[in-house]
Amino acid sequence: MEDTGQRSELDAAERNRYEWQLWVPDFGEAGQRRLKEATVLVSRIGGVGGTAALQLAAAGIGKLILAHGGELRLNDLNRQLLMTTDWIGKPRVESARRRLRELNPHVEIETIEANIDEGNAADLIGRADLVVSAAPLFAERLAMNRAAVQLGKPLVDCAMYDLEGRLTTVLPGRTPCLACLYPEPPPHWKREFPVFSAVSSTVGSLAAMEAIKVLAGFGEPLASRLLVFDLRNPCFETLPLRRRPDCPVCGPISRPAP
Amino acid sequence: MKLRVKYSGQLRTATRCGEEDVGWSPDRTLAELIAHLAERHAAGRPHLLSDSGAIRPSLLIAINDAAVMANEANATRLRDGDVVWLLPPIAGG
Ligand SMILES: [Zn+2]
């Protein structure tokens, strides 16, 4: 993420494309160059992660690695906004690549037609500067968390259910990790859950903003805090989180604040 | 005394209410409250307690917006007007 000159310089087309966000105080051209230098891994590009990827592509992230196995189904289309109806039966990641390139051809896109597991997590996370974790299963989220903490990579965990969303940013060694919150996968969570795209997209957009802030180095991330919102009777709250001293994932790791 | 209890995630679905008032007494603990709620809302029980009756370690608990760990519930007493918020994990993505 260091400014290495040539590669992160913005050309005239990029300056024009990002003009309105370059006006954001504390971001500016230095922030835009940091985004251009950055690689973000998005685990699953469904209702939450798909929108996060869309927002990151719009914002000009240098490279996105998209991991999601399987083919598009008709009943994905109420929320998976990177998909198109003509793509049913074909790999989701290919539709995502096409849509994101249509939006912003400056973004390099690598697609992995597989979900994250213990076997591929460390390799994929090792190649990214930050991770957006949006899988519908705790096993995947906890595998992402374990590898991200071990490799010292920031991880934005974003989740939803019904009209509710939750979001926290894990800064390894400095904040609680996902295993501090959830030491065991809850046995009654199901892969299929009630969802409107308006909710999953909200969570995904919030996750993208967390990623943009952490990568560009401005604002305050949701560190040691869980943002919880409920759109049924709209309310946004943040809940302070505590590290588990005996956490098997982050317990042994401690880094001083930079 | 009276508490305000808020339910999130699948617990909200199971209890069919976002929040409710619960009459309580100052000598009873948070662990007793959670056991009481598990009885009051049978459908919510699996999100609160394991089969052995222990509080699920992954249940997020907050009292007046301060986090409380499940293993602290036995030693935690409640005061009139406390807001107890129970959030079982969610992972929709
Ligand atoms: Zn931890």
Side-chain angles (χ1 to χ4, degrees):
Chain A
M1 279 189 290
E2 281 171 30
D3 288 338
T4 51
Q6 209 62 12
R7 192 156 92 83
S8 66
E9 284 303 316
L10 305 180
D11 64 24
E14 288 171 304
R15 278 203 188 83
N16 194 3
R17 174 182 288 267
Y18 304 124
E19 183 179 19
W20 288 40
Q21 73 197 36
L22 293 174
W23 298 334
V24 172
D26 306 326
F27 179 67
E29 196 162 320
Q32 191 67 55
R33 285 202 305 268
R34 288 192 198 103
L35 295 190
K36 188 177 176 182
E37 280 293 302
T39 297
V40 175
L41 167 66
V42 182
S43 162
R44 299 249 199 161
I45 44 158
V48 174
T51 297
L54 182 72
Q55 303 289 11
L56 292 170
I61 292 293
K63 180 175 176 179
L64 289 171
I65 304 175
L66 311 175
H68 197 148
E71 286 82 40
L72 181 65
R73 290 189 290 239
L74 179 59
N75 66 4
D76 293 333
L77 285 165
N78 83 313
R79 64 195 182 281
Q80 299 192 4
L81 301 184
L82 295 180
M83 308 299 141
T84 50
T85 303
D86 63 345
W87 209 255
I88 290 169
K90 298 181 203 167
R92 292 188 183 90
V93 285
E94 291 310 315
S95 183
R97 180 208 298 275
R98 178 173 45 90
R99 293 287 296 266
L100 295 175
R101 287 204 67 82
E102 282 171 6
L103 173 64
N104 190 347
H106 295 282
V107 180
E108 186 185 341
I109 294 163
E110 179 181 343
T111 55
I112 311 291
E113 211 186 309
N115 298 323
I116 299 281
D117 58 27
E118 296 284 353
N120 62 10
D123 170 54
L124 292 173
I125 293 171
R127 295 195 280 122
D129 298 301
L130 181 144
V131 176
V132 174
S133 182
L137 294 170
F138 281 94
E140 274 179 68
R141 287 177 185 265
L142 290 167
M144 292 276 283
N145 175 70
R146 196 170 302 117
V149 168
Q150 276 164 5
L151 295 165
K153 302 292 173 78
L155 176 146
V156 181
D157 190 85
C158 42
M160 64 145 305
Y161 171 84
D162 187 42
L163 268 61
E164 186 188 328
R166 296 186 204 164
L167 192 75
T168 189
T169 296
V170 175
L171 303 173
R174 292 170 48 198
T175 68
C177 78
L178 199 65
C180 290
L181 273 68
Y182 307 135
E184 65 170 36
H188 297 281
W189 177 257
K190 295 191 186 77
R191 189 182 61 81
E192 294 175 322
F193 52 91
V195 47
F196 280 111
S197 177
V199 181
S200 54
S201 291
T202 301
V203 186
S205 294
L206 292 168
M209 198 62 238
E210 284 295 293
I212 290 166
K213 287 187 304 177
V214 169
L215 293 167
F218 72 107
E220 291 297 326
L222 279 164
S224 304
R225 289 181 291 161
L226 183 70
L227 176 68
V228 181
F229 68 81
D230 187 353
L231 301 181
R232 202 170 272 275
N233 180 8
C235 174
F236 280 66
E237 294 181 68
T238 54
L239 188 63
L241 298 175
R242 288 161 57 192
R243 252 179 113 172
R244 252 173 229 275
D246 60 345
C247 174
V249 174
C250 78
I253 294 170
S254 181
R255 282 196 189 83
Chain B
M1 70 184 233
K2 211 162 66 172
L3 307 170
R4 190 77 181 155
V5 181
K6 293 165 53 178
Y7 304 103
S8 286
Q10 290 169 293
L11 199 49
R12 185 201 172 101
T13 309
T15 59
R16 296 166 176 273
C17 68
E19 48 187 275
E20 62 182 340
D21 288 328
V22 175
W24 202 241
S25 63
D27 57 323
R28 301 181 73 197
T29 66
L30 172 63
E32 289 174 294
L33 173 70
I34 291 172
H36 169 74
L37 297 172
E39 241 172 71
R40 181 171 172 145
H41 302 286
R45 183 187 165 95
H47 303 292
L48 296 168
L49 303 176
S50 68
D51 295 342
S52 68
I55 297 173
R56 294 242 179 245
S58 297
L59 177 68
L60 298 180
I61 308 167
I63 299 178
N64 305 327
D65 292 333
V68 179
M69 299 288 194
N71 62 10
E72 296 166 343
N74 272 321
T76 302
R77 291 187 191 281
L78 299 155
R79 281 177 297 196
D80 188 36
D82 276 352
V83 178
V84 179
W85 192 6
L86 302 172
L87 307 93
I90 60 174

